[in-house]
């Protein structure tokens, strides 16, 4: 079977069955590995995740049943390789939460993204230490966090504008030999004030800035 070029995205907003399939953390991780690392067998994915081949094979079949993955070209007659069918999974948060399983899906996915960030940081530090990254990446890499006061509309706009800018830069750097794979994770998670507090000073975050490595946010 020839390898397919993944289409751009799969939208889960109105697909409860597919949502339920992605509430399993291992399936989310397997799909992420196929998207970032390319086609692989169940045995190869088992070695990466620390699971058994029987487990990864089962979960890959579930992902295939819902259209997330498909069979890839085999290197010999004995193996079965899998590939991601899409580059992105998208959804509309507001509409998704009206679907059965939507809340569980969001919680599972967000926890997996946090775990992915931790694994990426470990890998980044190991790659730097081993000299697998150009020295320029030491200064270019960053991990920032902000605390801002935003309206829901502004938080949504921030996500849209960041995504558009990220896509613009990726398109600009496509084919550039200096480009490397960069894992980018963004979050905008509102939190309520402490119990008993009636509000904060309007200018409490007027000088909001990223907390750099080594600083408390």
């Amino acid at each position: 079977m020839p390898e397919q070029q993944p289409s751009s995205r799969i939208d889960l907003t109105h697909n409860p069955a597919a949502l339920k399939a992605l509430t399993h953390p291992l399936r989310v991780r397997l799909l992420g590995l196929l998207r970032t690392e390319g086609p692989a067998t169940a045995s190869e994915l088992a070695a990466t995740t620390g699971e058994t081949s029987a487990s990864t094979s089962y979960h890959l079949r579930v992902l295939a049943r819902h259209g997330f993955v498909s069979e890839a070209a085999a290197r010999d007659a004995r193996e079965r390789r899998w590939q991601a069918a899409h580059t992105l999974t998208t959804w509309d948060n507001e509409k998704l939460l009206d679907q059965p399983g939507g809340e569980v899906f969001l919680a599972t996915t967000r926890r997996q993204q946090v775990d992915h960030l931790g694994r990426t940081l470990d890998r980044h530090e190991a790659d730097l230490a081993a000299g697998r990254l150009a020295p320029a990446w030491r200064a270019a890499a960053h991990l920032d966090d902000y605390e801002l006061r935003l309206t829901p509309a502004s938080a949504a706009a921030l996500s849209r504008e960041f995504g558009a800018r990220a896509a613009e830069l990726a398109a600009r750097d496509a084919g550039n030999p200096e480009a490397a794979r960069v894992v980018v994770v963004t979050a905008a998670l509102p939190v309520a004030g402490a119990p008993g507090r009636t509000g904060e000073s309007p200018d409490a975050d007027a000088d909001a800035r990223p907390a750099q490595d080594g600083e408390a946010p």
Side-chain angles (χ1 to χ4, degrees), residues 2-211:
E3 289 190 12
Q4 301 170 353
Q5 186 67 27
S7 58
S8 59
R9 62 189 60 203
I10 180 172
D11 192 323
L12 301 186
T13 303
H14 300 292
N15 194 337
L19 278 178
K20 185 176 181 181
L22 276 192
T23 56
H24 195 289
L26 180 56
R27 290 176 200 151
V28 176
R29 189 173 180 198
L30 292 175
L31 180 57
L33 286 168
L34 290 175
R35 286 177 174 173
T36 58
E37 306 294 341
T41 66
S43 296
E44 290 168 341
L45 291 167
T48 300
T49 60
E51 300 287 332
T52 65
S53 295
S55 176
T56 55
S57 180
Y58 167 75
H59 290 297
L60 285 165
R61 291 195 301 271
V62 174
L63 289 170
R65 188 158 64 244
H66 293 282
F68 294 107
V69 304
S70 60
E71 286 193 54
R75 291 166 295 199
D76 60 56
R78 296 172 299 174
E79 73 170 9
R80 188 179 193 185
R81 298 173 77 219
W82 297 92
Q83 64 185 352
H86 312 87
T87 55
L88 291 173
T89 302
T90 63
W91 58 85
D92 179 305
N93 276 355
E94 186 174 4
K95 295 176 181 177
L96 182 76
L97 291 172
D98 291 332
Q99 306 296 316
E103 195 165 334
V104 174
F105 167 77
L106 280 180
T108 300
T109 301
R110 288 170 175 172
R111 291 294 176 185
Q112 284 290 306
Q113 289 169 323
V114 171
D115 291 344
H116 178 47
L117 177 60
R119 291 192 298 269
T120 300
L121 178 58
D122 291 341
R123 181 171 173 177
H124 166 72
E125 292 175 341
D127 286 343
L128 280 176
R132 291 188 289 266
L133 291 171
W137 285 110
R138 289 186 178 274
H142 56 92
L143 183 59
D144 307 322
D145 63 274
Y146 300 79
E147 287 203 17
L148 311 171
R149 293 186 65 80
L150 300 173
T151 64
S154 293
L158 179 64
S159 177
R160 290 193 302 270
E161 291 171 19
F162 184 91
R165 180 60 173 157
E168 177 186 333
L169 292 174
R172 186 192 71 180
D173 292 345
N176 189 322
E178 295 183 2
R181 198 175 88 208
V182 177
V183 175
V184 179
V185 178
T186 66
L189 304 174
V191 292
R197 293 182 64 177
T198 58
E200 298 181 4
S201 171
D203 60 351
D205 291 306
D207 62 344
R209 60 184 179 88

